Amino acid sequence: MSRLTARALETQEEIDEARILLHEVYMDEMKWTPDPKNPSKLRTEFLKNQSLLVDAFDSISFWIGIFDGNKLIATHRHSPKLDGKFELEHYREMPEFLLTGKSIEMNRLAIHRDYRKNSPAFLMIVAADYEFLGGKLYDFAFSTAEFPNPGEMYCKVGMKRADINPFKYSDADPNEVSLIYFDFRNREEMDRYISIATRVIKRFK
């Protein structure tokens, strides 16, 4: 395995590679199909005989990627509000502290199957999230996850589980998810988690 690197996705071609990876992980591997009437406008599109998972928030989002050489092997997306709403607000009510604070939504995490074990890819995603979001004066960055897995893993790297009931994005979804979030206001605590993650990442190099 080459040395992995993390950076922002800078071109439309790189973002399309991320959307191809999302389709591979979510739809080809997990056999998940979005509700045709989903408010995110999640759907499959095609580019040069490749299937992409796309939605309404793609064009306004900031994407990060983990690369093995020139190969994109993991991605995560940071999304602001679109037309005055976060994506999650289309599916359930959100806690007031996330709406009144300076918040950003994290979603569309995907890691190539060959890098999910014995690889620092996940921790590098977490470190990149902190680098790009924690330094931009955000109070919170939130996402959703199933529990116990992978939700407990997220909590081990500094995320907190919000005190709201688990929910489903769609009645067809097999499992409920919980709202989780980074609290960037506590810089000392976040720096401690990132320091731990950085030390673990270095063991792979």
Side-chain angles (χ1 to χ4, degrees), residues 73-115:
I73 59 91
T75 190
H76 206 196
R77 193 180 75 173
H78 305 154
S79 300
K81 292 180 179 180
L82 177 63
D83 297 329
K85 285 188 175 182
F86 290 113
E87 182 182 15
L88 182 58
E89 289 184 85
H90 294 281
Y91 298 90
R92 66 148 298 132
E93 292 183 0
M94 288 178 53
E96 189 65 20
F97 74 92
L98 290 178
L99 296 176
T100 56
K102 296 177 182 178
S103 300
I104 191 80
E105 186 167 8
M106 303 184 300
N107 52 29
R108 307 298 182 267
L109 171 65
I111 301 174
H112 190 280
R113 63 170 68 88
D114 295 338
Y115 296 83

mmCIF file of all heavy atoms in Angstrom, residues 73-115:
data_model
loop_
_atom_site.group_PDB
_atom_site.id
_atom_site.type_symbol
_atom_site.label_atom_id
_atom_site.label_comp_id
_atom_site.label_asym_id
_atom_site.label_seq_id
_atom_site.Cartn_x
_atom_site.Cartn_y
_atom_site.Cartn_z
ATOM 1 N N ILE A 73 -9.552 6.666 -2.696
ATOM 2 C CA ILE A 73 -9.989 5.454 -1.986
ATOM 3 C C ILE A 73 -10.983 5.759 -0.861
ATOM 4 O O ILE A 73 -11.535 4.849 -0.256
ATOM 5 C CB ILE A 73 -8.786 4.663 -1.458
ATOM 6 C CG1 ILE A 73 -7.925 5.492 -0.483
ATOM 7 C CG2 ILE A 73 -7.924 4.177 -2.625
ATOM 8 C CD1 ILE A 73 -8.281 5.383 0.955
ATOM 9 N N ALA A 74 -11.224 7.039 -0.592
ATOM 10 C CA ALA A 74 -12.226 7.401 0.418
ATOM 11 C C ALA A 74 -12.666 8.840 0.180
ATOM 12 O O ALA A 74 -11.911 9.652 -0.356
ATOM 13 C CB ALA A 74 -11.670 7.245 1.835
ATOM 14 N N THR A 75 -13.890 9.138 0.585
ATOM 15 C CA THR A 75 -14.407 10.495 0.421
ATOM 16 C C THR A 75 -15.385 10.828 1.534
ATOM 17 O O THR A 75 -15.971 9.935 2.171
ATOM 18 C CB THR A 75 -15.085 10.661 -0.956
ATOM 19 O OG1 THR A 75 -15.385 12.038 -1.187
ATOM 20 C CG2 THR A 75 -16.385 9.863 -1.033
ATOM 21 N N HIS A 76 -15.532 12.118 1.785
ATOM 22 C CA HIS A 76 -16.509 12.630 2.744
ATOM 23 C C HIS A 76 -16.924 14.010 2.266
ATOM 24 O O HIS A 76 -16.120 14.732 1.673
ATOM 25 C CB HIS A 76 -15.901 12.720 4.147
ATOM 26 C CG HIS A 76 -16.899 12.634 5.250
ATOM 27 N ND1 HIS A 76 -16.602 13.007 6.548
ATOM 28 C CD2 HIS A 76 -18.187 12.207 5.286
ATOM 29 C CE1 HIS A 76 -17.654 12.803 7.326
ATOM 30 N NE2 HIS A 76 -18.626 12.330 6.579
ATOM 31 N N ARG A 77 -18.177 14.381 2.524
ATOM 32 C CA ARG A 77 -18.713 15.631 2.003
ATOM 33 C C ARG A 77 -19.164 16.532 3.132
ATOM 34 O O ARG A 77 -19.746 16.070 4.118
ATOM 35 C CB ARG A 77 -19.895 15.324 1.063
ATOM 36 C CG ARG A 77 -20.348 16.491 0.216
ATOM 37 C CD ARG A 77 -21.506 16.090 -0.682
ATOM 38 N NE ARG A 77 -22.757 15.968 0.059
ATOM 39 C CZ ARG A 77 -23.945 15.763 -0.509
ATOM 40 N NH1 ARG A 77 -24.027 15.622 -1.822
ATOM 41 N NH2 ARG A 77 -25.028 15.682 0.222
ATOM 42 N N HIS A 78 -18.912 17.833 2.994
ATOM 43 C CA HIS A 78 -19.357 18.844 3.954
ATOM 44 C C HIS A 78 -20.374 19.742 3.254
ATOM 45 O O HIS A 78 -20.048 20.395 2.262
ATOM 46 C CB HIS A 78 -18.175 19.689 4.435
ATOM 47 C CG HIS A 78 -17.051 18.881 5.003
ATOM 48 N ND1 HIS A 78 -15.743 19.326 5.001
ATOM 49 C CD2 HIS A 78 -17.033 17.654 5.587
ATOM 50 C CE1 HIS A 78 -14.971 18.419 5.578
ATOM 51 N NE2 HIS A 78 -15.727 17.392 5.938
ATOM 52 N N SER A 79 -21.590 19.794 3.774
ATOM 53 C CA SER A 79 -22.671 20.493 3.073
ATOM 54 C C SER A 79 -23.280 21.606 3.918
ATOM 55 O O SER A 79 -23.720 21.365 5.047
ATOM 56 C CB SER A 79 -23.781 19.499 2.690
ATOM 57 O OG SER A 79 -23.280 18.489 1.836
ATOM 58 N N PRO A 80 -23.346 22.811 3.361
ATOM 59 C CA PRO A 80 -24.080 23.892 4.021
ATOM 60 C C PRO A 80 -25.574 23.761 3.724
ATOM 61 O O PRO A 80 -26.017 22.781 3.123
ATOM 62 C CB PRO A 80 -23.486 25.143 3.367
ATOM 63 C CG PRO A 80 -23.160 24.691 1.973
ATOM 64 C CD PRO A 80 -22.725 23.249 2.099
ATOM 65 N N LYS A 81 -26.329 24.765 4.120
ATOM 66 C CA LYS A 81 -27.760 24.760 3.822
ATOM 67 C C LYS A 81 -28.001 25.020 2.338
ATOM 68 O O LYS A 81 -27.254 25.761 1.692
ATOM 69 C CB LYS A 81 -28.481 25.831 4.640
ATOM 70 C CG LYS A 81 -28.511 25.562 6.140
ATOM 71 C CD LYS A 81 -29.245 26.670 6.874
ATOM 72 C CE LYS A 81 -29.311 26.391 8.370
ATOM 73 N NZ LYS A 81 -30.033 27.467 9.100
ATOM 74 N N LEU A 82 -29.040 24.424 1.817
ATOM 75 C CA LEU A 82 -29.496 24.680 0.457
ATOM 76 C C LEU A 82 -30.921 25.203 0.552
ATOM 77 O O LEU A 82 -31.785 24.546 1.142
ATOM 78 C CB LEU A 82 -29.455 23.394 -0.379
ATOM 79 C CG LEU A 82 -29.983 23.495 -1.814
ATOM 80 C CD1 LEU A 82 -29.132 24.457 -2.637
ATOM 81 C CD2 LEU A 82 -30.035 22.118 -2.473
ATOM 82 N N ASP A 83 -31.160 26.386 0.012
ATOM 83 C CA ASP A 83 -32.485 27.016 0.105
ATOM 84 C C ASP A 83 -32.949 27.111 1.558
ATOM 85 O O ASP A 83 -34.122 26.891 1.879
ATOM 86 C CB ASP A 83 -33.508 26.254 -0.732
ATOM 87 C CG ASP A 83 -33.174 26.279 -2.220
ATOM 88 O OD1 ASP A 83 -32.584 27.273 -2.684
ATOM 89 O OD2 ASP A 83 -33.498 25.293 -2.918
ATOM 90 N N GLY A 84 -31.989 27.415 2.439
ATOM 91 C CA GLY A 84 -32.323 27.667 3.835
ATOM 92 C C GLY A 84 -32.435 26.447 4.723
ATOM 93 O O GLY A 84 -32.782 26.584 5.902
ATOM 94 N N LYS A 85 -32.110 25.238 4.197
ATOM 95 C CA LYS A 85 -32.244 24.036 5.008
ATOM 96 C C LYS A 85 -31.052 23.104 4.809
ATOM 97 O O LYS A 85 -30.533 22.965 3.705
ATOM 98 C CB LYS A 85 -33.525 23.270 4.647
ATOM 99 C CG LYS A 85 -34.804 23.885 5.154
ATOM 100 C CD LYS A 85 -35.977 22.947 4.910
ATOM 101 C CE LYS A 85 -37.266 23.481 5.510
ATOM 102 N NZ LYS A 85 -38.395 22.538 5.319
ATOM 103 N N PHE A 86 -30.632 22.487 5.916
ATOM 104 C CA PHE A 86 -29.706 21.372 5.810
ATOM 105 C C PHE A 86 -30.442 20.167 5.213
ATOM 106 O O PHE A 86 -31.675 20.071 5.307
ATOM 107 C CB PHE A 86 -29.159 20.987 7.188
ATOM 108 C CG PHE A 86 -28.220 21.995 7.790
ATOM 109 C CD1 PHE A 86 -28.569 22.702 8.924
ATOM 110 C CD2 PHE A 86 -26.974 22.218 7.216
ATOM 111 C CE1 PHE A 86 -27.703 23.621 9.494
ATOM 112 C CE2 PHE A 86 -26.099 23.146 7.770
ATOM 113 C CZ PHE A 86 -26.461 23.845 8.906
ATOM 114 N N GLU A 87 -29.696 19.244 4.666
ATOM 115 C CA GLU A 87 -30.339 18.050 4.117
ATOM 116 C C GLU A 87 -31.144 17.315 5.192
ATOM 117 O O GLU A 87 -32.274 16.874 4.950
ATOM 118 C CB GLU A 87 -29.298 17.101 3.521
ATOM 119 C CG GLU A 87 -29.927 15.865 2.902
ATOM 120 C CD GLU A 87 -28.912 14.887 2.352
ATOM 121 O OE1 GLU A 87 -27.719 15.010 2.686
ATOM 122 O OE2 GLU A 87 -29.312 13.995 1.595
ATOM 123 N N LEU A 88 -30.572 17.191 6.383
ATOM 124 C CA LEU A 88 -31.242 16.447 7.440
ATOM 125 C C LEU A 88 -32.599 17.045 7.795
ATOM 126 O O LEU A 88 -33.525 16.321 8.186
ATOM 127 C CB LEU A 88 -30.347 16.404 8.687
ATOM 128 C CG LEU A 88 -30.884 15.609 9.881
ATOM 129 C CD1 LEU A 88 -31.168 14.167 9.499
ATOM 130 C CD2 LEU A 88 -29.889 15.677 11.041
ATOM 131 N N GLU A 89 -32.762 18.362 7.654
ATOM 132 C CA GLU A 89 -34.026 19.004 8.009
ATOM 133 C C GLU A 89 -35.185 18.529 7.141
ATOM 134 O O GLU A 89 -36.350 18.710 7.508
ATOM 135 C CB GLU A 89 -33.898 20.519 7.892
ATOM 136 C CG GLU A 89 -33.027 21.151 8.968
ATOM 137 C CD GLU A 89 -33.024 22.658 8.851
ATOM 138 O OE1 GLU A 89 -33.949 23.295 9.409
ATOM 139 O OE2 GLU A 89 -32.103 23.193 8.196
ATOM 140 N N HIS A 90 -34.890 17.938 5.991
ATOM 141 C CA HIS A 90 -35.945 17.407 5.128
ATOM 142 C C HIS A 90 -36.477 16.069 5.638
ATOM 143 O O HIS A 90 -37.478 15.563 5.119
ATOM 144 C CB HIS A 90 -35.426 17.231 3.707
ATOM 145 C CG HIS A 90 -35.085 18.518 3.026
ATOM 146 N ND1 HIS A 90 -36.036 19.351 2.476
ATOM 147 C CD2 HIS A 90 -33.896 19.127 2.818
ATOM 148 C CE1 HIS A 90 -35.448 20.411 1.944
ATOM 149 N NE2 HIS A 90 -34.153 20.304 2.144
ATOM 150 N N TYR A 91 -35.811 15.503 6.662
ATOM 151 C CA TYR A 91 -36.187 14.172 7.135
ATOM 152 C C TYR A 91 -36.641 14.146 8.582
ATOM 153 O O TYR A 91 -37.390 13.251 8.974
ATOM 154 C CB TYR A 91 -35.000 13.213 6.967
ATOM 155 C CG TYR A 91 -34.588 13.038 5.525
ATOM 156 C CD1 TYR A 91 -33.636 13.874 4.951
ATOM 157 C CD2 TYR A 91 -35.167 12.061 4.722
ATOM 158 C CE1 TYR A 91 -33.261 13.733 3.620
ATOM 159 C CE2 TYR A 91 -34.804 11.911 3.394
ATOM 160 C CZ TYR A 91 -33.848 12.753 2.850
ATOM 161 O OH TYR A 91 -33.486 12.612 1.528
ATOM 162 N N ARG A 92 -36.174 15.107 9.386
ATOM 163 C CA ARG A 92 -36.631 15.163 10.773
ATOM 164 C C ARG A 92 -36.280 16.530 11.347
ATOM 165 O O ARG A 92 -35.453 17.272 10.792
ATOM 166 C CB ARG A 92 -36.002 14.059 11.621
ATOM 167 C CG ARG A 92 -34.506 14.158 11.837
ATOM 168 C CD ARG A 92 -34.103 13.585 13.196
ATOM 169 N NE ARG A 92 -34.732 14.335 14.275
ATOM 170 C CZ ARG A 92 -35.359 13.771 15.298
ATOM 171 N NH1 ARG A 92 -35.444 12.471 15.409
ATOM 172 N NH2 ARG A 92 -35.910 14.517 16.250
ATOM 173 N N GLU A 93 -36.899 16.866 12.470
ATOM 174 C CA GLU A 93 -36.566 18.105 13.161
ATOM 175 C C GLU A 93 -35.178 17.977 13.779
ATOM 176 O O GLU A 93 -34.771 16.908 14.229
ATOM 177 C CB GLU A 93 -37.596 18.400 14.256
ATOM 178 C CG GLU A 93 -38.977 18.736 13.725
ATOM 179 C CD GLU A 93 -39.940 19.092 14.837
ATOM 180 O OE1 GLU A 93 -39.507 19.069 16.017
ATOM 181 O OE2 GLU A 93 -41.107 19.394 14.546
ATOM 182 N N MET A 94 -34.454 19.098 13.810
ATOM 183 C CA MET A 94 -33.113 19.102 14.354
ATOM 184 C C MET A 94 -33.058 19.847 15.681
ATOM 185 O O MET A 94 -33.868 20.744 15.922
ATOM 186 C CB MET A 94 -32.143 19.763 13.351
ATOM 187 C CG MET A 94 -31.853 18.913 12.127
ATOM 188 S SD MET A 94 -30.755 19.776 10.954
ATOM 189 C CE MET A 94 -29.381 20.244 12.035
ATOM 190 N N PRO A 95 -32.105 19.497 16.537
ATOM 191 C CA PRO A 95 -31.957 20.221 17.804
ATOM 192 C C PRO A 95 -31.674 21.705 17.560
ATOM 193 O O PRO A 95 -30.958 22.064 16.618
ATOM 194 C CB PRO A 95 -30.762 19.537 18.465
ATOM 195 C CG PRO A 95 -30.662 18.198 17.824
ATOM 196 C CD PRO A 95 -31.156 18.379 16.429
ATOM 197 N N GLU A 96 -32.201 22.520 18.421
ATOM 198 C CA GLU A 96 -32.071 23.960 18.241
ATOM 199 C C GLU A 96 -30.615 24.410 18.259
ATOM 200 O O GLU A 96 -30.239 25.347 17.544
ATOM 201 C CB GLU A 96 -32.867 24.680 19.334
ATOM 202 C CG GLU A 96 -32.988 26.186 19.133
ATOM 203 C CD GLU A 96 -33.799 26.562 17.891
ATOM 204 O OE1 GLU A 96 -34.570 25.716 17.406
ATOM 205 O OE2 GLU A 96 -33.638 27.710 17.427
ATOM 206 N N PHE A 97 -29.774 23.745 19.060
ATOM 207 C CA PHE A 97 -28.388 24.222 19.162
ATOM 208 C C PHE A 97 -27.637 24.077 17.839
ATOM 209 O O PHE A 97 -26.726 24.853 17.555
ATOM 210 C CB PHE A 97 -27.649 23.500 20.305
ATOM 211 C CG PHE A 97 -27.258 22.071 20.023
ATOM 212 C CD1 PHE A 97 -26.017 21.771 19.480
ATOM 213 C CD2 PHE A 97 -28.133 21.026 20.326
ATOM 214 C CE1 PHE A 97 -25.638 20.454 19.245
ATOM 215 C CE2 PHE A 97 -27.759 19.713 20.084
ATOM 216 C CZ PHE A 97 -26.513 19.422 19.544
ATOM 217 N N LEU A 98 -28.021 23.108 17.007
ATOM 218 C CA LEU A 98 -27.373 22.958 15.704
ATOM 219 C C LEU A 98 -27.875 23.984 14.698
ATOM 220 O O LEU A 98 -27.161 24.341 13.755
ATOM 221 C CB LEU A 98 -27.600 21.549 15.156
ATOM 222 C CG LEU A 98 -26.883 20.412 15.881
ATOM 223 C CD1 LEU A 98 -27.243 19.067 15.253
ATOM 224 C CD2 LEU A 98 -25.375 20.612 15.883
ATOM 225 N N LEU A 99 -29.089 24.453 14.908
ATOM 226 C CA LEU A 99 -29.664 25.440 13.985
ATOM 227 C C LEU A 99 -29.264 26.863 14.332
ATOM 228 O O LEU A 99 -29.152 27.717 13.448
ATOM 229 C CB LEU A 99 -31.188 25.310 13.979
ATOM 230 C CG LEU A 99 -31.741 23.984 13.444
ATOM 231 C CD1 LEU A 99 -33.257 23.952 13.575
ATOM 232 C CD2 LEU A 99 -31.321 23.751 12.003
ATOM 233 N N THR A 100 -29.039 27.133 15.605
ATOM 234 C CA THR A 100 -28.676 28.480 16.014
ATOM 235 C C THR A 100 -27.159 28.682 16.042
ATOM 236 O O THR A 100 -26.675 29.805 15.946
ATOM 237 C CB THR A 100 -29.257 28.810 17.395
ATOM 238 O OG1 THR A 100 -28.825 27.815 18.343
ATOM 239 C CG2 THR A 100 -30.774 28.828 17.342
ATOM 240 N N GLY A 101 -26.398 27.586 16.187
ATOM 241 C CA GLY A 101 -24.944 27.682 16.149
ATOM 242 C C GLY A 101 -24.446 27.700 14.711
ATOM 243 O O GLY A 101 -25.218 27.540 13.757
ATOM 244 N N LYS A 102 -23.159 27.896 14.550
ATOM 245 C CA LYS A 102 -22.538 27.842 13.220
ATOM 246 C C LYS A 102 -22.254 26.380 12.906
ATOM 247 O O LYS A 102 -21.289 25.800 13.411
ATOM 248 C CB LYS A 102 -21.259 28.668 13.207
ATOM 249 C CG LYS A 102 -21.487 30.151 13.451
ATOM 250 C CD LYS A 102 -20.166 30.904 13.502
ATOM 251 C CE LYS A 102 -20.388 32.382 13.794
ATOM 252 N NZ LYS A 102 -19.107 33.129 13.899
ATOM 253 N N SER A 103 -23.115 25.785 12.095
ATOM 254 C CA SER A 103 -23.073 24.348 11.864
ATOM 255 C C SER A 103 -22.853 24.008 10.399
ATOM 256 O O SER A 103 -23.176 24.801 9.507
ATOM 257 C CB SER A 103 -24.389 23.702 12.340
ATOM 258 O OG SER A 103 -24.601 23.919 13.719
ATOM 259 N N ILE A 104 -22.335 22.802 10.172
ATOM 260 C CA ILE A 104 -22.149 22.255 8.835
ATOM 261 C C ILE A 104 -22.509 20.774 8.900
ATOM 262 O O ILE A 104 -22.293 20.123 9.923
ATOM 263 C CB ILE A 104 -20.697 22.460 8.334
ATOM 264 C CG1 ILE A 104 -20.555 22.133 6.863
ATOM 265 C CG2 ILE A 104 -19.715 21.678 9.173
ATOM 266 C CD1 ILE A 104 -21.007 23.226 5.937
ATOM 267 N N GLU A 105 -23.063 20.259 7.826
ATOM 268 C CA GLU A 105 -23.473 18.859 7.786
ATOM 269 C C GLU A 105 -22.406 18.017 7.090
ATOM 270 O O GLU A 105 -21.883 18.399 6.045
ATOM 271 C CB GLU A 105 -24.808 18.724 7.040
ATOM 272 C CG GLU A 105 -25.393 17.325 7.071
ATOM 273 C CD GLU A 105 -26.845 17.285 6.612
ATOM 274 O OE1 GLU A 105 -27.347 18.336 6.131
ATOM 275 O OE2 GLU A 105 -27.484 16.230 6.739
ATOM 276 N N MET A 106 -22.083 16.863 7.679
ATOM 277 C CA MET A 106 -21.156 15.914 7.076
ATOM 278 C C MET A 106 -21.925 14.679 6.631
ATOM 279 O O MET A 106 -22.705 14.124 7.402
ATOM 280 C CB MET A 106 -20.068 15.499 8.066
ATOM 281 C CG MET A 106 -19.260 16.641 8.645
ATOM 282 S SD MET A 106 -17.923 16.048 9.730
ATOM 283 C CE MET A 106 -18.858 15.173 10.989
ATOM 284 N N ASN A 107 -21.706 14.254 5.404
ATOM 285 C CA ASN A 107 -22.389 13.045 4.928
ATOM 286 C C ASN A 107 -21.636 12.457 3.739
ATOM 287 O O ASN A 107 -20.562 12.912 3.386
ATOM 288 C CB ASN A 107 -23.855 13.344 4.572
ATOM 289 C CG ASN A 107 -24.006 14.521 3.637
ATOM 290 O OD1 ASN A 107 -23.132 14.823 2.830
ATOM 291 N ND2 ASN A 107 -25.143 15.216 3.737
ATOM 292 N N ARG A 108 -22.220 11.443 3.149
ATOM 293 C CA ARG A 108 -21.657 10.757 1.983
ATOM 294 C C ARG A 108 -20.231 10.273 2.248
ATOM 295 O O ARG A 108 -19.332 10.446 1.444
ATOM 296 C CB ARG A 108 -21.695 11.638 0.732
ATOM 297 C CG ARG A 108 -23.058 12.225 0.397
ATOM 298 C CD ARG A 108 -24.112 11.178 0.112
ATOM 299 N NE ARG A 108 -25.362 11.819 -0.243
ATOM 300 C CZ ARG A 108 -26.336 12.118 0.621
ATOM 301 N NH1 ARG A 108 -26.202 11.807 1.905
ATOM 302 N NH2 ARG A 108 -27.450 12.696 0.198
ATOM 303 N N LEU A 109 -20.055 9.604 3.378
ATOM 304 C CA LEU A 109 -18.775 8.969 3.674
ATOM 305 C C LEU A 109 -18.715 7.629 2.962
ATOM 306 O O LEU A 109 -19.642 6.820 3.047
ATOM 307 C CB LEU A 109 -18.616 8.754 5.177
ATOM 308 C CG LEU A 109 -17.420 7.920 5.626
ATOM 309 C CD1 LEU A 109 -16.119 8.640 5.294
ATOM 310 C CD2 LEU A 109 -17.505 7.598 7.103
ATOM 311 N N ALA A 110 -17.627 7.387 2.256
ATOM 312 C CA ALA A 110 -17.428 6.101 1.595
ATOM 313 C C ALA A 110 -15.945 5.770 1.587
ATOM 314 O O ALA A 110 -15.116 6.636 1.308
ATOM 315 C CB ALA A 110 -17.968 6.125 0.163
ATOM 316 N N ILE A 111 -15.624 4.528 1.897
ATOM 317 C CA ILE A 111 -14.255 4.031 1.873
ATOM 318 C C ILE A 111 -14.224 2.782 0.999
ATOM 319 O O ILE A 111 -15.055 1.882 1.175
ATOM 320 C CB ILE A 111 -13.742 3.708 3.288
ATOM 321 C CG1 ILE A 111 -13.789 4.963 4.173
ATOM 322 C CG2 ILE A 111 -12.324 3.144 3.238
ATOM 323 C CD1 ILE A 111 -13.437 4.699 5.624
ATOM 324 N N HIS A 112 -13.305 2.721 0.077
ATOM 325 C CA HIS A 112 -13.183 1.565 -0.805
ATOM 326 C C HIS A 112 -12.995 0.301 0.020
ATOM 327 O O HIS A 112 -12.323 0.304 1.059
ATOM 328 C CB HIS A 112 -11.992 1.772 -1.746
ATOM 329 C CG HIS A 112 -11.903 0.761 -2.841
ATOM 330 N ND1 HIS A 112 -11.387 -0.514 -2.649
ATOM 331 C CD2 HIS A 112 -12.258 0.826 -4.153
ATOM 332 C CE1 HIS A 112 -11.425 -1.183 -3.777
ATOM 333 N NE2 HIS A 112 -11.951 -0.395 -4.706
ATOM 334 N N ARG A 113 -13.585 -0.780 -0.431
ATOM 335 C CA ARG A 113 -13.592 -2.029 0.327
ATOM 336 C C ARG A 113 -12.180 -2.500 0.717
ATOM 337 O O ARG A 113 -12.013 -3.136 1.766
ATOM 338 C CB ARG A 113 -14.297 -3.136 -0.469
ATOM 339 C CG ARG A 113 -13.643 -3.508 -1.762
ATOM 340 C CD ARG A 113 -14.257 -4.765 -2.365
ATOM 341 N NE ARG A 113 -15.611 -4.537 -2.804
ATOM 342 C CZ ARG A 113 -15.942 -4.080 -4.024
ATOM 343 N NH1 ARG A 113 -14.978 -3.810 -4.901
ATOM 344 N NH2 ARG A 113 -17.182 -3.901 -4.377
ATOM 345 N N ASP A 114 -11.195 -2.212 -0.096
ATOM 346 C CA ASP A 114 -9.835 -2.690 0.179
ATOM 347 C C ASP A 114 -9.135 -1.892 1.269
ATOM 348 O O ASP A 114 -8.025 -2.259 1.682
ATOM 349 C CB ASP A 114 -8.988 -2.635 -1.097
ATOM 350 C CG ASP A 114 -9.482 -3.579 -2.176
ATOM 351 O OD1 ASP A 114 -10.191 -4.548 -1.841
ATOM 352 O OD2 ASP A 114 -9.155 -3.349 -3.358
ATOM 353 N N TYR A 115 -9.758 -0.804 1.748
ATOM 354 C CA TYR A 115 -9.103 0.081 2.702
ATOM 355 C C TYR A 115 -9.898 0.240 3.996
ATOM 356 O O TYR A 115 -9.621 1.141 4.787
ATOM 357 C CB TYR A 115 -8.870 1.455 2.074
ATOM 358 C CG TYR A 115 -7.915 1.419 0.905
ATOM 359 C CD1 TYR A 115 -8.375 1.075 -0.366
ATOM 360 C CD2 TYR A 115 -6.567 1.715 1.063
ATOM 361 C CE1 TYR A 115 -7.510 1.032 -1.451
ATOM 362 C CE2 TYR A 115 -5.692 1.677 -0.015
ATOM 363 C CZ TYR A 115 -6.174 1.338 -1.267
ATOM 364 O OH TYR A 115 -5.309 1.288 -2.343
#
